[in-house]
Amino acid sequence: DAKTTQPPSMDCAEGRAANLPCNHSTISGNEYVYWYRQIHSQGPQYIIHGLKNNETNEMASLIITEDRKSSTLILPHATLRDTAVYYCIVRVGGATNKLIFGTGTLLAVQP
Amino acid sequence: NAGVTQTPKFHILKIGQSMTLQCTQDMNHNYMYWYRQDPGMGLKLIYYSVGAGITDKGEVPNGYNVSRSTTEDFPLRLELAAPSQTSVYFCASSKPGQGNQPQHFGDGTRLSIL
């Protein structure tokens, strides 16, 4: 699986959009970009994933650059409850669906 | 909507003792996984299973064993517990797929070995 690079921490004001970057310069053509978050050492929560196209769901938007070497997770209106560690993971399309976690980005939403 | 259920939530074990961490899912997912998470670190894969009767090692399998006799259950056994196995253990499940199926996680078991 391709390695990802994320900033260790970020701040965001409540009500503003939070934009979390991720670099995955060695990504291969069949590798998906996944985002999970972990709040207070709870189990990781799935947010969104994509392959080539931008994706949006009720939680967030995922913007993948045209060369697929980086992506951005956007939380459109961050709340205090969005304070968490956010993990960007790239995963090979294969039989096992295994995830390789890095250390993620700690997003602190400030009141 | 139980999802993935792990028991116990907390446990203290003595060095050299054994125990089994339980994991069950009610989503009829074929794939199941065990991870451990040490403080300040990301999750590391211990074992995984793609179906009943099939298991395979992940990144950090030493000191652990698993079995998968049913689709629903995927217990993790610690034999001869060591302080290095103090960690938070997460179980997850997913549908089969070509890398495009998200994993669903339980709330974890916090295990201390003293």
Side-chain angles (χ1 to χ4, degrees):
Chain A
D1 293 330
K3 182 178 174 58
T4 62
T5 303
Q6 299 178 253
S9 63
M10 293 181 63
D11 288 344
C12 177
E14 190 176 19
R16 298 281 194 164
N19 296 283
L20 291 92
C22 180
N23 287 321
H24 30 80
S25 58
T26 60
I27 195 169
S28 299
N30 63 346
E31 288 186 316
Y32 288 81
V33 180
Y34 273 78
W35 284 84
Y36 283 78
R37 72 181 184 183
Q38 191 173 24
I39 298 172
H40 267 292
S41 297
Q42 296 175 12
Q45 177 188 23
Y46 165 75
I47 301 173
I48 199 167
H49 74 283
L51 183 61
K52 296 180 181 178
N53 300 322
N54 299 337
E55 302 287 344
T56 296
N57 63 20
E58 65 278 5
M59 289 182 67
S61 295
L62 173 60
I63 309 298
I64 302 174
T65 58
E66 193 169 344
D67 63 6
R68 301 187 71 240
K69 293 183 183 300
S70 65
S71 61
T72 301
L73 178 74
I74 301 173
L75 307 179
H77 305 287
T79 71
L80 297 179
R81 288 177 293 181
D82 292 322
T83 293
V85 177
Y86 287 77
Y87 295 100
C88 169
I89 301 164
V90 293
R91 196 168 82 185
V92 176
T96 62
N97 287 339
K98 289 187 290 184
L99 296 173
I100 307 295
F101 284 81
T103 52
T105 295
L106 174 58
L107 175 68
V109 180
Q110 308 292 345
Chain B
N1 293 339
V4 178
T5 302
Q6 293 184 237
T7 57
K9 293 189 185 304
F10 304 91
H11 195 80
I12 297 174
L13 201 60
K14 292 184 178 179
I15 295 170
Q17 289 184 327
S18 301
M19 82 167 292
T20 299
L21 308 186
Q22 301 292 344
C23 175
T24 188
Q25 51 91 10
D26 63 358
M27 297 173 283
N28 202 32
H29 286 170
N30 284 11
Y31 291 6
M32 295 187 74
Y33 313 81
W34 273 107
Y35 295 86
R36 60 175 286 173
Q37 185 175 32
D38 298 329
M41 306 296 288
L43 281 69
K44 291 190 183 300
L45 183 64
I46 305 171
Y47 270 96
Y48 65 97
S49 169
V50 298
I54 306 169
T55 63
D56 209 344
K57 296 178 180 179
E59 302 172 79
V60 290
N62 292 344
Y64 307 94
N65 281 301
V66 293
S67 59
R68 185 94 182 272
S69 57
T70 68
T71 298
E72 296 77 20
D73 300 308
F74 190 39
L76 176 72
R77 181 147 181 92
L78 281 71
E79 306 280 3
L80 296 174
S84 61
Q85 293 177 303
T86 293
S87 191
V88 182
Y89 291 85
F90 291 102
C91 179
S93 72
S94 76
K95 296 179 183 178
Q98 297 302 309
N100 61 349
Q101 295 295 332
Q103 292 184 18
H104 302 266
F105 285 80
D107 289 333
T109 294
R110 283 147 185 80
L111 181 64
S112 294
I113 297 164
L114 306 175

